[in-house]
Amino acid sequence: MDAETLPPHVVRTAPGQYEATLPGGTLRMSMRQEELPLPEICDFALRHNARRRFLFVSRVLGRHMPTRPAAMQDVASRLADKISIDPADGPVLFVGMAETATTLAQTVYAAWCRRGGQGLYIESTRRPTGGPIAFEFVESHSHAMAHLVHLPSPEDDPENLFTTARRVVVVDDEATTGRTALGLVASYAAWRGIAPESLRRELAVLARWMTDAQSTESEFTAFHSLVEGSFEFVETGVFAEAPPAVPHPDRAGLARRGTRHGLSHPQPLPWQLDVSPGHRILVIGTGEYGYQPLLLAADLEARGAIAWVQATTRSPVLPGGAIGHVRSFPALSGERHTEFLYNVPEDHGYDRVLLCCEDVLPPLEHPIHHISRLEVLPLPGTLTS
């Protein structure tokens, strides 16, 4: 990537060395591996979180920034190529980390399946379905700390891989210590009544960050990433008090089962829309629901549109750096938390904005309808509110 294409708040100080100037601090990064240049993978911002003030904002994750579908599929394929296919490893369980990595994780799983892999995919969630829960674990540095992993039914998991897996592949957007992924595997192993060391434990991430506190590397059988490096963040401003962390899942409503109870084959594309060649279309997923919106964006682009995909999030991020515009509103699911959509301003420049709803449709008075040229796409069986 040429220096001219770097964001104005980012400079390359030397080969593999970057510095991002943010409203409340300076983030310095030193890379030891870049399968793709770091600025193609991520940008940077400040998040409203007392435990970690800065945020690596992925350009290819379809979360805080609009992402071209081919870009996400490319990085997912690169990660999938690093994950071996060996029947000797026994049953394989893929786990996508809510909410940020759910779209990436299923895309990695789909690419791995296309290479001939067979296994079960499931996502952690902060939205109970009302079905049985296998176990819970905590992501301590997140604003919404609690994760659930539901128990698959025989229809979701016909080969009973969830209870027999000998290999667990956790997919996340980035990792520093890897403790959250290890906590997930430890909780899963405890639920099964086995030692975590009896499992082949793998972590696949876009970005791997090394720190002095890095003490968990030897506990993974394999650690896959596209970029690796270290960072230093120096605060230069005064931060407003961060909103309190949410220690429990939001049980105000029940989510669709979807991927939350596992699946043995990637989800299909549920919509077929008419498209005008050359139209600029933004496809928006809702919270943890992003893989089928990605499929839609890819399908629209294959038929002549220029498409992007991203999703709403409950992660509070401050304006500045990679975050040029912030929308906040009551959760689209009807639950009690606040939800955000980043970088979709009033003059967004899209010909169509397609909001893909997993379960409850937002009422007509919901602020999401303030987005110009918005169309709401329900899944079959979606309830009106």
Side-chain angles (χ1 to χ4, degrees):
M1 177 177 286
D2 296 332
E4 290 76 15
T5 65
L6 293 173
H9 53 278
V10 179
V11 296
R12 181 186 287 108
T13 57
Q17 310 290 313
Y18 302 91
E19 184 172 292
T21 302
L22 301 169
T26 300
L27 181 62
R28 299 185 181 95
M29 293 141 289
S30 177
M31 309 308 297
R32 73 176 192 181
Q33 173 202 335
E34 292 179 274
E35 186 169 323
L36 293 171
L38 179 66
E40 289 187 16
I41 296 287
C42 66
D43 203 333
F44 317 96
L46 295 172
R47 65 179 184 174
H48 218 10
N49 186 311
R51 292 182 65 91
R52 192 181 190 191
R53 290 295 193 181
F54 61 92
L55 180 70
F56 296 108
V57 179
S58 175
R59 291 181 172 276
V60 293
L61 197 64
R63 182 62 56 174
H64 300 87
M65 302 180 73
T67 298
R68 298 297 292 272
M72 190 188 304
Q73 291 169 327
D74 174 62
V75 296
S77 293
R78 289 172 182 265
L79 278 179
D81 287 345
K82 298 175 184 292
I83 301 170
S84 64
I85 298 173
D86 187 350
D89 291 333
V92 182
L93 175 66
F94 275 73
V95 184
M97 293 285 284
E99 68 182 2
T100 306
T102 51
T103 306
L104 172 70
Q106 194 178 165
T107 311
V108 171
Y109 173 71
W112 186 77
C113 289
R114 286 196 297 272
R115 288 179 47 225
Q118 292 183 318
L120 180 75
Y121 174 79
I122 199 167
E123 293 174 353
S124 74
T125 181
R126 298 181 175 102
R127 300 186 60 210
T129 66
I133 295 170
F135 60 89
E136 303 185 23
F137 67 98
V138 171
E139 184 181 6
S140 60
H141 66 269
S142 174
H143 171 68
M145 301 168 63
H147 290 245
L148 308 171
V149 175
H150 287 91
L151 183 66
S153 71
E155 291 74 25
D156 303 314
D157 181 13
E159 297 185 26
N160 198 30
L161 300 185
F162 190 74
T163 59
T164 60
R166 290 163 42 195
R167 180 182 178 193
V168 180
V169 181
V170 180
V171 182
D172 208 349
D173 58 329
E174 52 104 359
T176 307
T177 65
R179 290 193 183 97
T180 300
L182 285 176
L184 184 161
V185 176
S187 297
Y188 169 66
W191 174 78
R192 285 182 53 183
I194 61 176
E197 295 76 17
S198 67
L199 297 167
R200 178 179 173 89
R201 304 176 302 282
E202 300 181 40
L203 179 57
V205 296
L206 296 175
R208 178 184 182 187
W209 299 103
M210 316 296 290
T211 71
D212 292 339
Q214 187 85 16
S215 59
T216 62
E217 179 176 0
S218 62
E219 298 183 53
F220 290 102
T221 312
F223 208 138
H224 314 290
S225 63
L226 300 186
V227 298
E228 293 184 8
S230 58
F231 63 82
E232 175 190 23
F233 182 66
V234 180
E235 291 190 15
T236 58
V238 178
F239 290 86
E241 184 176 353
V246 181
H248 303 293
D250 192 336
R251 299 179 187 271
L254 296 179
R256 184 185 288 260
R257 289 174 66 93
T259 54
R260 296 177 180 88
H261 284 261
L263 48 85
S264 54
H265 300 283
Q267 290 174 302
L269 173 65
W271 303 283
Q272 284 290 332
L273 302 182
D274 293 332
V275 61
S276 298
H279 268 202
R280 298 166 60 87
I281 303 176
L282 175 65
V283 181
I284 301 176
T286 49
E288 297 168 358
Y289 179 66
Y291 180 73
Q292 289 181 315
L294 168 66
L295 295 182
L296 177 60
D299 179 69
L300 294 173
E301 192 143 272
R303 293 190 291 119
I306 306 169
W308 291 261
V309 65
Q310 71 176 107
T312 61
T313 175
R314 64 175 75 199
S315 173
V317 185
L318 298 171
I323 304 301
H325 186 270
V326 179
R327 293 179 185 269
S328 64
F329 40 80
L332 291 163
S333 62
E335 293 161 309
R336 289 187 290 258
H337 60 269
T338 299
E339 202 162 4
F340 302 90
L341 178 64
Y342 297 105
N343 293 318
V344 185
E346 306 306 321
D347 56 345
H348 53 65
Y350 300 109
D351 296 300
R352 301 172 71 183
V353 178
L354 307 179
L355 178 68
C356 302
C357 294
E358 180 185 19
D359 36 40
V360 179
L361 296 179
L364 292 177
E365 64 271 17
H366 192 282
I368 197 73
H369 291 288
H370 296 166
I371 298 175
S372 59
R373 296 180 288 283
L374 181 76
E375 304 170 40
V376 177
L377 298 182
L379 276 175
T382 297
L383 303 175
T384 58
S385 54

